[in-house]
Amino acid sequence: MIRTRADVARTALDVLTTEGPEALTHARVAEIARYSKTTLYAHWPSRVDLIAIALDALGEMPHHEPTGDIRVDLVGELKAFRQAVQDFRLDRVLSAMAQWATVEAMAQIREKVNTEGQRPIRALLERHFDGPRLEAAVSMLAGVVACPSLMFGTLPDDDMIEEAVDIVIVGAGGAPAVR
Amino acid sequence: MIRTRADVARTALDVLTTEGPEALTHARVAEIARYSKTTLYAHWPSRVDLIAIALDALGEMPHHEPTGDIRVDLVGELKAFRQAVQDFRLDRVLSAMAQWATVEAMAQIREKVNTEGQRPIRALLERHFDGPRLEAAVSMLAGVVACPSLMFGTLPDDDMIEEAVDIVIVGAGGAPAVR
């Protein structure tokens, strides 16, 4: 069962990211993973179960090992996020989760996956920000990777990531310099 | 034909944002708009054509009227973006566009819609930033609205929008204050 579970999870994630959410069906996963549909339905009765197990296959996202230097650590974490978007096609995973969020079980999975994903950046920023400024900074740094990816199918280069981190670090300093 | 086109566009957008991308089919649009499937196929032969006409119905997004005060204008534009996400379910539209981006015609439509959507924020930021810093700032401000929406199904409150704008405006000032 452990072997089956791992096979099905990986296959479901592959189908989701390469063929799109509409292709993620019991029939398609059964065909590729070479299990019977009966087996799949027995363990994962609904489509939401298939999606949930696909997200399990994301496993532990790789993260940057903190050095204690806020700039180095934020840049490192954003580069790790960029790499994960590329390796795991997180842009498609995010889109699929957003699309299915009207299903309550799916909304909970999305909440968990995205909260976990944001945790390292939030932990770094919490040393310098709190309240709405913290929330803004977390979304802004997530956005520098997620927005080009979700809106244009591109990823930020190193310069863009470093500029974003500098903007946020300056923002920790205090009052606006330009009005 | 103009009447038909407007009816079909509005219906297609309604189906996309309320029932999801999988529901956006000729059969479903024909049923709701009360046209024959033959009529729909005659004018919009493919599914991409249906998606394209749905996006047409977004029309001109409402934007903030610039005052010349960079802070007021950025806050105003982000609030207009937040309103549009709510009114037009732009989170679902963005997800659907990302999902279909493997189709070349769809990738072009997405590029156009998103470039147009970002234009007012980009125009405001161009006065203070250029190069990778400009690109970072555009993504960060788009992200403060788009990320909570796409990742958690929530929208930023006024405080969060104002904090994001202040962080970016301070960032225009120069070197990092915290290392």
Side-chain angles (χ1 to χ4, degrees), chain A residues 29-158:
Chain A
V29 172
E31 183 188 353
I32 298 181
R34 298 177 181 229
Y35 288 99
S36 73
K37 278 202 279 182
T38 313
T39 303
L40 292 196
Y41 277 112
H43 295 296
W44 301 280
S46 72
R47 198 130 173 263
V48 168
D49 297 322
L50 276 191
I51 301 162
I53 195 175
L55 297 178
D56 273 357
L58 288 174
E60 287 290 306
M61 288 283 115
H63 286 293
H64 166 78
E65 197 61 47
T67 66
D69 178 319
I70 179 81
R71 185 175 190 278
V72 170
D73 289 344
L74 285 173
V75 168
E77 188 55 34
L78 289 181
K79 287 183 180 175
F81 180 26
R82 179 180 62 185
Q83 190 66 44
V85 170
Q86 197 159 44
D87 293 348
F88 298 93
R89 297 305 318 253
L90 284 190
D91 53 333
R92 293 191 187 169
V93 173
L94 265 178
S95 294
M97 289 196 295
Q99 181 190 324
W100 283 315
T102 45
V103 180
E104 178 56 28
M106 200 55 225
Q108 288 176 18
I109 294 170
R110 175 171 81 155
E111 177 85 19
K112 181 166 162 279
V113 168
N114 286 334
T115 302
E116 282 299 320
Q118 280 190 351
R119 193 179 303 280
I121 284 184
R122 177 176 293 275
L124 290 166
L125 290 170
E126 271 172 352
R127 297 186 214 153
H128 299 281
F129 298 90
D130 60 13
R133 183 160 274 223
L134 172 64
E135 298 311 317
V138 170
S139 285
M140 291 165 87
L141 286 186
V144 85
V145 176
C147 280
S149 160
L150 287 166
M151 296 178 76
F152 300 101
T154 60
L155 285 167
D157 60 17
D158 287 0

Side-chain angles (χ1 to χ4, degrees), chain B residues 19-83:
Chain B
E19 302 179 23
E22 296 187 42
L24 183 49
T25 61
H26 289 83
R28 184 70 180 137
V29 172
E31 183 188 350
I32 299 181
R34 297 176 183 232
Y35 288 99
S36 73
K37 279 202 279 183
T38 313
T39 303
L40 292 196
Y41 277 111
H43 294 297
W44 301 280
S46 73
R47 198 130 174 263
V48 168
D49 297 323
L50 276 190
I51 301 161
I53 195 176
L55 297 178
D56 271 358
L58 289 172
E60 287 291 306
M61 287 284 114
H63 287 292
H64 165 78
E65 197 63 46
T67 67
D69 177 320
I70 178 80
R71 185 175 190 278
V72 170
D73 289 343
L74 285 172
V75 168
E77 187 56 34
L78 289 181
K79 288 183 180 175
F81 180 27
R82 179 180 62 185
Q83 190 65 44

Side-chain angles (χ1 to χ4, degrees), chain B residues 133-144:
Chain B
R133 181 159 278 220
L134 171 64
E135 297 312 314
V138 170
S139 285
M140 291 165 86
L141 288 186
V144 86

Side-chain angles (χ1 to χ4, degrees), chain A residues 160-171:
Chain A
M160 199 170 144
I161 285 179
E162 286 168 20
E163 293 290 354
V165 168
D166 283 343
I167 288 171
V168 161
I169 288 176
V170 172

